[in-house]
Amino acid sequence: MLFRKEVLEGIAGGRIDRVFRVWAEPRVRAGSTQRTWAGIIVIDSVTAVTPEEITEEDALRSGFKSRAALLTALSKSTKEGAYHRVMLHLGGPDPRSELAGNADLTDQELADLEAALDAVDARSRRGPWTREVLRLIEEHPGLRAQDLAERLDRDKLPFKADVRRLKSLGLTESLETGYRLSPRGKALMAYLRSLGE
């Protein structure tokens, strides 16, 4: 489930605790979670509703100025299906964000990260790629994934999957557009340069 930036900011600030979607079948279920840059979103409930069941409070608590504005937005959806009210809340920070923010690494931790990159590269069918992607992101923070992938003559979706692998190690952070190295990633790159890599 995708969230606009202002909606995530509203959820993080406690102003938004529900969103509405047009779905033939619900795409999320109660109890599921979703990682976002704002933190972990927890889905509390998913309920099919008629337009008549949508209240003024629903509109305000989903980031709209009025019920009419929410209903207008829903009516413009090109998707087939019923309206669904998704109740949700911010469950806490994404553990990867906390990991990414830790740049105070010992020599052993840096060596372990280097070994983790080596292991990822060793499993790759196309050969080593981790350092090349980290250097590219370091040199071009905020550049679209499509443009980064093209610089490596790669397709966007496999490239994004690789960046997610680096993110799981706490080395990159997603921006509204593109990526950047995390503090942890910057520390690792400085360490690798000191080794002559």
Side-chain angles (χ1 to χ4, degrees), residues 3-13 15-16 37 62-63 176:
F3 298 97
R4 296 191 319 276
K5 178 174 182 283
E6 57 270 26
V7 171
L8 284 174
E9 289 172 345
I11 295 169
R15 298 182 306 279
I16 292 177
W37 60 260
S62 61
E176 193 167 348

Side-chain angles (χ1 to χ4, degrees), residues 10-193:
I11 295 169
R15 298 182 306 279
I16 292 177
D17 64 5
R18 66 200 70 180
V19 294
F20 287 81
R21 295 289 187 267
V22 178
W23 287 327
E25 294 291 335
R27 304 275 179 86
V28 295
R29 57 182 174 74
S32 63
T33 60
Q34 186 169 333
R35 288 176 171 169
T36 72
W37 60 260
I40 302 291
I41 304 295
V42 179
I43 307 301
D44 298 313
S45 65
V46 182
T47 310
V49 292
T50 64
E52 294 73 29
E53 292 173 307
I54 296 174
T55 66
E56 197 69 33
E57 182 184 11
D58 282 332
L60 298 176
R61 297 295 294 172
S62 61
F64 287 86
K65 292 186 192 283
S66 67
R67 178 176 177 272
L70 170 57
L71 290 173
T72 298
L74 288 171
S75 71
K76 290 180 179 175
S77 173
T78 57
K79 296 176 181 172
E80 297 285 327
Y83 294 169
H84 289 81
R85 181 193 294 120
V86 181
M87 301 297 293
L88 43 75
H89 71 276
L90 187 67
D94 184 339
R96 296 176 304 178
S97 298
E98 292 182 12
L99 184 68
N102 178 17
D104 187 21
L105 302 172
T106 66
D107 286 345
Q108 184 59 55
E109 288 171 323
L110 289 164
D112 289 346
L113 274 175
E114 181 188 17
L117 293 185
D118 290 341
V120 171
D121 284 339
R123 290 191 301 269
S124 172
R125 292 182 186 157
R126 68 176 182 282
W129 60 267
T130 57
R131 287 148 177 87
E132 181 181 43
V133 171
L134 285 169
R135 276 192 289 273
L136 188 64
I137 292 171
E138 182 179 39
E139 292 166 5
H140 303 283
L143 192 63
R144 292 184 322 148
Q146 179 70 48
D147 296 328
L148 290 170
E150 286 174 1
R151 286 171 185 258
L152 298 177
D153 197 27
R154 297 192 54 206
D155 291 330
K156 181 176 82 168
L157 292 180
F159 174 81
K160 289 180 76 169
D162 283 348
V163 175
R164 283 195 296 275
R165 288 185 185 92
L166 297 173
K167 187 174 185 178
S168 71
L169 294 170
L171 302 176
T172 64
E173 298 173 325
S174 296
L175 303 172
E176 193 167 348
T177 301
Y179 314 97
R180 68 181 173 204
L181 291 187
S182 67
R184 182 182 179 89
K186 290 176 184 175
L188 176 63
M189 292 304 283
Y191 170 76
L192 295 176
R193 276 192 289 274

